[in-house]
Amino acid sequence: MTGIRLTMAALGATALTLTATPALAAEAGITDEVTMTLGKDGTLHVVEKITGASGGLTRTFITRTRYDDNNDRLYQISNVKGGTLAGDVLTVTGQSVEYDVKGAVTTSGGVEELRWFAVNGWSQQVAKATVKVNGPGQVQNLSCFAGELTSAIGCTSASMDHSATQADFEQDNIGQGQALTVVIGYPKGSSGGAPILEKRFSLAAAFTLDLVTGGALAGLLLLLLGGIGLLYWTRGRDARVAGHEKGSVDPVQNGHFSPPDGVRPGQIGTLVDEQADVVDVTATIVDLAVRGYLRIDEQPRQTYDAPDWMLVRLPSAPVNALLPYERALYDAIFDGRDAVLLSQMSGSFASHLGKVRDALYADVVKQGWFARRPDTERTRWTTIGVVLIGLGLLATVALAWFTTYGLLGLALVIAGGALAVGGQYMPAKTAKGSAALAHTMGFRQYLFSGELGEVPEQHRVELFSRYLPYAVIFDGVEHWSRVVASVTGNGHPSDNLYWYHGPAEWDLSKFAGSMRTFTTTTSGAISATRQFRTL
């Protein structure tokens, strides 16, 4: 009975063994026999024989490792046989595969060192790997590492033959993601191989500041910014005027207003700041009213109503005598109608303001005050500056990526920014324009000096009213509105002016506040349009 039990136990053990064997075989993995030969040109030729593979077999090569703080080391795979290489992935199509590796040799001290990841990246576990290495000289030293790529654990065995010309390595159970790295030292110059290095990008290295890059940056900035300064000196400065053309100006001739050089308020505004902007248009509207082309009627309102004004066309006004920019503004205001509320001046008015702006710029060129339109001159140089910024950014990226001179590209960016900003100051007045500006500043000094001299009473309303549009340009509306409100033709207060009418129960004592609100509201309405929004 005991014998029967033993026999049955033996049969059970045998059955268990037979059942477990396939599983163990399945987990055993492949066997990789590697033969490597280092040639005289530093090329490593590798032959691998693989057995025990199940299904498709692939290997992902390690082709890039860190060399030092600034460089990566590359390994180039070529001349593949027995498989196909796509990027770093080798697909094995037979029982063996061959390939060449370049970049596996480096010189350290007096030794030429071959380092290669003989087994790594297989899609199946490697149960056993053997590596034989033949070189161009006698082996000086050898070592091997197994496990993770950075592992310092030695492989199963490492030895050399009696002639020290062949090195042998073995390692069991190399898992996926693990590697067997072999390192063999040969006499210096044995193969003449060298590592393949590729510079690693880093901001610190790309924008290195040292004596060379700092000096080059300073020199380039000096050259570029000096060139921009020279450009402004030769192209952007106003022409000088003679000394006798400066000084104060008396705008009163024979008791009547006579602006210096016959300059209108809109022209003065464009001449002074070299821009056709909202204040120039506002001052021109007031000027057209003072000169008898339209009348401004303040509308009655309740306590919380928004202020409004009616602009009324005067039928007897000689509109053909208007300058082109004044006529463009006059047509934009009325557009075929006899009166319009300031609050309703939109639509066609906004669409005509572009013509007013262009006519103002054309006028200052026609007067000979500028050689070219100021807006065109600003746009030209600002555009060149923006283009230079773009080129500087491209140059910075290129220099930073491929060299350590990225700072030099920043010099172009800085110069472009300086030119883009400086472009706003490039419009230059001619000698005639500079003289007109000197007279204008003299008029401004006279206007705010408080020494207006003896003005006959019969001319005060007309004279002081004619000053008011210029006061709008010079930001003196409050002062001159009070002056105008203080007099009439006979020196006594009045309820209205010939060009400005207020609502019932309104008198000139309120004119200063009304005019201040009118100019502010008008400027706001104009600046809300697309043509003058950014000016």
Side-chain angles (χ1 to χ4, degrees):
M1 188 67 168
T2 303
I4 295 174
R5 289 177 179 175
L6 290 175
T7 302
M8 293 180 66
L11 290 174
T14 303
L16 180 61
T17 302
L18 292 174
T19 303
T21 300
L24 293 174
E27 295 177 358
I30 63 174
T31 299
D32 191 5
E33 298 180 11
V34 184
T35 302
M36 304 194 303
T37 304
L38 180 61
K40 287 289 187 179
D41 60 350
T43 300
L44 180 66
H45 182 69
V46 183
V47 179
E48 296 190 51
K49 294 182 179 180
I50 306 102
T51 57
S54 59
L57 185 63
T58 62
R59 177 181 180 183
T60 302
F61 287 110
I62 297 173
T63 58
R64 178 187 295 267
T65 60
R66 180 184 177 86
Y67 184 76
D68 56 26
D69 291 340
N70 299 317
N71 299 282
D72 286 339
R73 182 175 180 178
L74 305 184
Y75 299 90
Q76 296 178 350
I77 312 296
S78 60
N79 301 325
V80 176
K81 298 179 181 178
T84 56
L85 183 66
D88 297 339
V89 179
L90 171 68
T91 301
V92 179
T93 57
Q95 295 298 315
S96 65
V97 63
E98 299 182 33
Y99 54 87
D100 291 334
V101 182
K102 290 185 177 180
V105 177
T106 186
T107 300
S108 178
V111 178
E112 190 177 87
E113 182 183 270
L114 167 66
R115 176 182 290 266
W116 178 236
F117 315 99
V119 180
N120 83 284
W122 286 109
S123 58
Q124 299 179 26
Q125 180 172 321
V126 179
K128 183 175 181 63
T130 59
V131 181
K132 297 183 181 297
V133 183
N134 297 293
Q138 287 191 328
V139 175
Q140 303 295 301
N141 55 70
L142 57 80
S143 59
C144 62
F145 307 97
E148 301 298 326
L149 186 62
T150 57
S151 172
I153 301 174
C155 62
T156 303
S157 67
S159 61
M160 67 180 76
D161 65 0
H162 66 281
S163 62
T165 58
Q166 176 177 301
D168 297 291
F169 305 91
E170 290 186 5
Q171 177 62 37
D172 298 330
N173 299 322
I174 303 174
Q176 297 181 29
Q178 296 182 338
L180 170 59
T181 305
V182 298
V183 182
I184 307 100
Y186 295 100
K188 185 177 180 180
S190 297
S191 70
I196 301 173
L197 303 181
E198 183 178 89
K199 186 175 180 59
R200 187 187 312 109
F201 176 78
S202 69
L203 288 177
F207 294 94
T208 299
L209 180 60
D210 53 25
L211 186 61
V212 175
T213 57
L217 175 62
L220 188 57
L221 279 175
L222 182 63
L223 179 65
L224 292 174
L225 296 180
I228 293 174
L230 181 63
L231 181 66
Y232 174 77
W233 185 264
T234 57
R235 293 286 300 273
R237 288 195 311 152
D238 296 343
R240 296 184 178 182
V241 298
H244 68 273
E245 295 179 327
K246 301 179 179 179
S248 62
V249 175
D250 187 354
V252 181
Q253 303 293 332
N254 299 322
H256 294 282
F257 176 71
S258 178
D261 301 323
V263 179
R264 305 277 171 81
Q267 294 172 320
I268 282 183
T270 307
L271 175 66
V272 170
D273 61 10
E274 301 171 346
Q275 295 193 59
D277 49 26
V278 293
V279 70
D280 304 332
V281 178
T282 301
T284 301
I285 292 176
V286 177
D287 188 49
L288 291 176
V290 171
R291 286 159 54 200
Y293 289 91
L294 59 89
R295 189 179 69 248
I296 303 173
D297 291 348
E298 184 175 338
Q299 300 300 293
R301 60 190 177 97
Q302 299 300 320
T303 303
Y304 298 104
D305 290 346
D308 204 356
W309 293 262
M310 180 76 74
L311 304 184
V312 181
R313 182 206 298 264
L314 299 182
S316 60
V319 294
N320 292 330
L322 293 174
L323 295 176
Y325 81 89
E326 295 174 322
R327 182 60 185 269
L329 178 58
Y330 184 85
D331 292 341
I333 293 172
F334 295 108
D335 194 25
R337 54 201 171 191
D338 293 328
V340 61
L341 286 171
L342 182 62
S343 60
Q344 296 177 354
M345 275 202 322
S346 57
S348 61
F349 176 73
S351 64
H352 284 83
L353 281 178
K355 296 179 181 178
V356 178
R357 178 197 57 200
D358 291 340
L360 263 172
Y361 281 128
D363 183 84
V364 294
V365 175
K366 183 179 179 180
Q367 298 293 334
W369 298 337
F370 294 91
R372 290 168 293 276
R373 283 180 49 150
D375 61 330
T376 302
E377 195 75 357
R378 279 191 297 270
T379 300
R380 174 187 303 162
W381 292 110
T382 301
T383 301
I384 293 175
V386 172
V387 171
L388 191 59
I389 290 175
L391 293 176
L393 291 174
L394 292 176
T396 300
V397 172
L399 289 171
W401 190 261
F402 296 106
T403 71
T404 59
Y405 293 90
L407 288 175
L408 300 189
L410 294 180
L412 287 177
V413 175
I414 295 172
L419 189 57
V421 174
Q424 303 301 309
Y425 305 95
M426 287 306 291
K429 301 176 185 67
T430 62
K432 185 177 180 181
S434 296
L437 180 63
H439 296 165
T440 297
M441 292 298 101
F443 174 42
R444 184 183 186 280
Q445 181 180 358
Y446 168 86
L447 198 61
F448 291 101
S449 65
E451 300 175 0
L452 301 178
E454 294 296 329
V455 179
E457 289 187 358
Q458 66 271 22
H459 297 309
R460 287 182 180 179
V461 170
E462 182 264 345
L463 183 62
F464 292 162
S465 293
R466 291 295 302 274
Y467 284 159
L468 186 56
Y470 296 88
V472 173
I473 293 293
F474 297 135
D475 196 22
V477 174
E478 184 77 19
H479 170 70
W480 273 106
S481 296
R482 295 185 182 280
V483 172
V484 172
S486 66
V487 298
T488 64
N490 58 9
H492 296 288
S494 175
D495 291 337
N496 289 296
L497 297 170
Y498 68 92
W499 60 273
Y500 191 100
H501 289 180
E505 301 180 358
W506 182 94
D507 57 48
L508 284 180
S509 65
K510 302 176 182 178
F511 176 71
S514 294
M515 181 52 55
R516 181 180 63 251
T517 307
F518 172 78
T519 54
T520 302
T521 305
T522 304
S523 296
I526 296 169
S527 63
T529 65
R530 187 176 184 85
Q531 288 83 357
F532 281 84
R533 184 172 301 160
T534 57
L535 299 184

